[in-house]
Structure formats: structure tokens, C-alpha cells
Amino acid sequence: MRFAVAIRFFVCIVCFCLTAAVTGPAAWAQEAESARVISISGEIDGSQAALVQRGISQAEENGDKAIVVRINTQGGRVDSALRIRDLLRETSIPTIALVTSRAWSAGALIAIACRHIVMAPGSSIGAAEPIPATEKNIAALKSEFSTTAADNGHNPRIAEAMVDKKDGLPGYADAGEILALTDVQARELNLSEGTADTAEEALHLFSLDDATVYYEDRNWKDETLGMLQNEYVRMLFVGLILAAVLIEIKTAGIGVGLVTACLLGGVMLISGDGTLADDLKVIGAFIGGLVLIALELVTPGIGIFGVAGILLLFGSLFWMLGATVQALYILAGGIVIAVILFYILGRHLPKSWLFAKVALTTRSTKEKGYTSQEDKSKYLFQRGTTITILRPAGTIRIGKERVDAVSSGGFIDRDVAVRVIKVEGARVVVEPVPPGP
């Protein structure tokens, strides 16, 4: 009897342990809460966009309950700010902007791109007038601010006044003044939902006191991506790609130029902001362009492959650069860089038969026996006899040579003795020899 009870007790203990092992971690994972803090400070650029993209991806993988975007910036690149805005808009995780000191210009756009805004005492937000403040730039950025604010439940009129000073905001900015709000003013206008100095205090406002907080700051990968997205760096990459293609054409068939162009294009593509679907199209166009150029090298004279390859190459580069007016400027700068590099490097590279067909590589020099015209000065003051009638041009014989000549005036009949009185380049002028002893 006691043995049976012991067996039952042992079985219950084992079942309890197995149940705890299976359900315990899952239950704990459901109860545990986490949040992620992404720190944006300094000038807004591509590295900040890379940081936000990485932070949001990790937050989504970890199942974080909230993302706190800690902001302290006076602005920066509008394109990078728009990229960050789009990333914040696309995530399903609630976002909280914590303005620790300043959220000016591009920083203001990032702040209103979050669903909630919290500001530290003494902080400010706004002052987003574009530079240069042209009517077109103001209208474009004003539209972005207004739409972003409306999407996240903020007052679009406040966001517009941060960009366009024409109307101001009654009670906070007169007409002709750009809007910038303190933390107190932002609370009065319900733009800010509270005051907090730290991310933990901001999370407390939204009942996330017990959440495990993870911090994300820029690392070397973000800095590298930001550098690669710099317009001047991208211009250099375009120049290197085009120079590599030109060098491949000159060397015809070595392959180093096309491989180099392909690798550089891959780096540009990885550092871009395109989606996978767009990337696949651009990759296809870029590689297709290089392949067609390669076909032109092995089938010279057709021309169709070469033209199509160049069009695909430039089209893919244009899309890699964002397909904007700025992309055209980068392409133009890249072409200049490519020409300079090709001029410097091309002199030290072997010339292919294909390059020889499209480039003049020979000279007709005097040392090789070439002259621009025959030198007839040797005939000056010599005598000869007319072979044909000079009317006034004709042919004479001087010694054993036939020479084209021109009479100094009037006709000179055949078989008349003449003498050379002038030589002007290839023009030999003669006159009849006067009679005399």
C-alpha cells in the first residue's frame, strides 16, 4: 500500500515538473513587457535613418510594447528625416517621442511622426522652415508636416505653422514668425501629452513602469551606411562605376572593369532605401546593362547591345539614387569624375582592338614622311618647257619631272620655254623666257 502511494506521489511530481517546464517560460514571456529606446542626437543624416531602421526591426522581432524615440537635434537632411518618418509610420508598435532638449526642423518632423509626444522641462519643438525658404520648398515640406501630424492624431495646423510663417499661430506666433513651442506651450496645445526627463519616466506615463528597457545607439554599421548615403560619396561611386565600364571597353574582354562595376553597384544598392521588389528590378536592370555591354564587346559593330546596355546602366543608377532631381545632379557629377579617372588611368592601360576602332591612335608626322602638302620651293628660278597650253593653268616639264604650273598672265602655248618666278605653297607660277642672246 505504501509502495503504491509512493509511486503515485512520484508520478505527480514528474508531471508537475514537466508542466512547469513547458508552460512556465511561455507564461513568463506573455507577462514580461519590454520597450526599446532609440536615441537620435546631432545632425539628422543617413546613419540616423539606419539606426531607426535597425531599432524598429529589433523591436518587432522582440515583441516590444513600445518604442521611445529620444530626440535632441537642431535638424539635418530632410530626405533622411522623411525616411525615419516613413519607418515610424509603418511600424505597428506604439511610438513615443521624448524631446530631451530640442526637436527643431527635421527633428520636429520625426517627433510628430510618433503617436505620442512627451517633452522634458525646458525643451522646445518646431522651427522647421526649409532652407532655402522658396515657395516650392515651403509648400512641399508643409504638406509633409500636415499629413504626418494628421496621421498620428496631432493638430495639422500646429505642424504647418512650424514650416510656414505666413499665418503664424494666434497666441504663439504672429504672422511672419515661424512657430517654435516650449514644453509648456506644447502641453497647452495638447501636442505634448506629458513631461518626462528620462525614457523610464516617459514609459511611466503610459503604464509601462515594469517594462525591460533596451537602448539602441548608433554603431559603426549605422555610421557606414550613413556615409554611403552621402550624396558626394554616391557621386564618387557612380564615377567609379562608369570609369570601370570605360576601362573595360578600352581593354576589351579582361573582365576586371565589369566585375568592379558590379561590386560597386552592389554596395550602392545595399546602402539604399529601396524595398526588395524595387531592388530586384534595379538589380536586373543594372546587371542586364553590364551584360549587354559585354555582348557588345564580343560582337563589335552591331551597336544595339551597346546602346541598350548604356541605357539600362544609367536607368538603374538613376533609380538607385532615388529617381529625383538630386539623382540627376549626382549622375552628372559622376560622369565628370569618370572622365577624369579614365583620362588619368587610361594612359597606363593596354589598348584593345575595339578601342582602336573608336579612337584615333595614329599620327601622320613629318618624321614618318607625312607632309601637309608637297614642297615645290626647289623649282624656284628653274627653267622648263610647257607640255600643255597654260590657260592659265597647265603642265610643264622641268628636267625629267612633270610639274603643274600657272602662267603669270595670259596664255602660254605648248613647247614654249618658261622659267619659275614664284612658288606659293603648291602653286608654281611661270612666265615665258624672254628672247635674247
Side-chain angles (χ1 to χ4, degrees):
M1 184 70 178
R2 290 180 179 178
F3 179 74
V5 171
I7 291 297
R8 290 176 184 174
F9 179 75
F10 177 75
V11 171
C12 289
I13 292 295
V14 171
C15 291
F16 176 77
C17 292
L18 290 174
T19 303
V22 173
T23 63
W28 178 85
Q30 291 176 355
E31 293 176 1
E33 292 181 337
S34 60
R36 198 162 299 266
V37 179
I38 302 174
S39 299
I40 295 179
S41 60
E43 184 178 358
I44 302 298
D45 57 16
S47 64
Q48 308 274 15
L51 164 65
V52 173
Q53 183 174 17
R54 178 171 57 83
I56 290 177
S57 296
Q58 292 181 350
E60 291 174 345
E61 291 176 5
N62 194 51
D64 294 340
K65 297 298 182 182
I67 296 174
V68 178
V69 183
R70 191 165 56 186
I71 304 171
N72 179 20
T73 177
Q74 297 183 29
R77 295 180 60 88
V78 175
D79 56 347
S80 297
L82 290 173
R83 174 61 178 160
I84 294 173
R85 186 277 309 270
D86 294 340
L87 290 167
L88 293 171
R89 175 188 287 177
E90 292 165 2
T91 183
S92 59
I93 301 175
T95 51
I96 305 167
L98 171 59
V99 181
T100 59
S101 181
R102 301 175 186 85
W104 296 352
S105 191
L109 178 63
I110 295 171
I112 64 175
C114 296
R115 299 180 191 177
H116 309 282
I117 299 177
V118 177
M119 299 180 67
S123 61
S124 59
I125 184 174
E129 185 179 37
I131 299 175
T134 62
E135 183 178 352
K136 180 179 178 180
N137 288 344
I138 291 174
L141 194 58
K142 181 179 178 180
S143 174
E144 295 288 354
F145 267 70
S146 179
T147 303
T148 303
D151 288 346
N152 290 284
H154 308 307
N155 189 336
R157 180 69 187 84
I158 297 173
E160 292 173 0
M162 293 179 179
V163 179
D164 190 355
K165 63 184 179 182
K166 182 175 66 174
D167 298 324
L169 189 70
Y172 296 91
D174 296 331
E177 294 180 350
I178 204 73
L179 178 64
L181 300 172
T182 65
D183 62 301
V184 176
Q185 293 173 326
R187 287 200 67 180
E188 291 174 355
L189 292 170
N190 294 321
L191 181 65
S192 171
E193 299 179 37
T195 302
D197 277 312
T198 65
E200 287 76 10
E201 292 178 6
L203 291 169
H204 169 74
L205 297 175
F206 300 94
S207 304
L208 290 170
D209 304 74
D210 299 328
T212 302
V213 181
Y214 300 97
Y215 290 85
E216 299 294 342
D217 293 293
R218 278 184 294 181
N219 57 27
W220 67 270
K221 293 181 180 179
D222 303 324
E223 297 287 353
T224 301
L225 285 175
M227 180 191 68
L228 291 175
Q229 290 177 4
N230 181 276
E231 59 182 349
Y232 296 107
V233 174
R234 309 207 97 186
M235 188 181 295
L236 176 61
F237 267 71
V238 171
L240 291 172
I241 289 172
L242 297 179
V245 173
L246 289 174
I247 289 172
E248 182 67 22
I249 292 174
K250 183 176 182 181
T251 56
I254 293 178
V256 176
L258 293 182
V259 171
T260 302
C262 199
L263 292 175
L264 292 171
V267 173
M268 279 187 61
L269 196 64
I270 292 173
S271 64
D273 298 329
T275 62
L276 179 60
D278 291 336
D279 287 348
L280 291 176
K281 295 176 184 176
V282 174
I283 289 172
F286 184 78
I287 295 178
L290 295 180
V291 169
L292 288 173
I293 291 173
L295 287 175
E296 182 65 29
L297 295 179
V298 298
T299 57
I302 297 177
I304 298 175
F305 294 142
V307 173
I310 291 172
L311 290 176
L312 281 176
L313 179 63
F314 275 93
S316 60
L317 289 173
F318 179 67
W319 283 103
M320 279 186 199
L321 297 169
T324 61
V325 175
Q326 186 183 30
L328 294 176
Y329 292 136
I330 295 175
L331 278 175
I335 292 172
V336 173
I337 293 173
V339 171
I340 294 173
L341 288 175
F342 182 68
Y343 175 77
I344 295 172
L345 299 176
R347 295 180 298 174
H348 305 288
L349 294 172
K351 297 179 178 65
S352 69
W353 54 268
L354 178 62
F355 187 78
K357 282 181 173 289
V358 297
L360 182 62
T361 57
T362 59
R363 287 184 175 183
S364 299
T365 63
K366 197 170 184 179
E367 290 75 13
K368 294 181 180 179
Y370 293 96
T371 57
S372 59
Q373 59 187 12
E374 184 181 355
D375 184 11
K376 295 185 177 182
S377 60
K378 64 181 179 179
Y379 299 125
L380 186 61
F381 305 128
Q382 291 193 25
R383 296 189 178 196
T385 305
T386 59
I387 300 175
T388 64
I389 300 175
L390 273 58
R391 305 172 181 266
T395 305
I396 67 174
R397 185 185 302 278
I398 298 178
K400 296 181 179 181
E401 297 183 37
R402 295 170 61 93
V403 180
D404 293 328
V406 178
S407 70
S408 60
F411 297 132
I412 301 177
D413 204 354
R414 181 184 291 112
D415 297 324
V416 175
V418 293
R419 65 180 177 183
V420 179
I421 61 173
K422 187 188 299 182
V423 175
E424 297 175 340
R427 187 168 176 262
V428 177
V429 182
V430 298
E431 68 176 8
V433 176

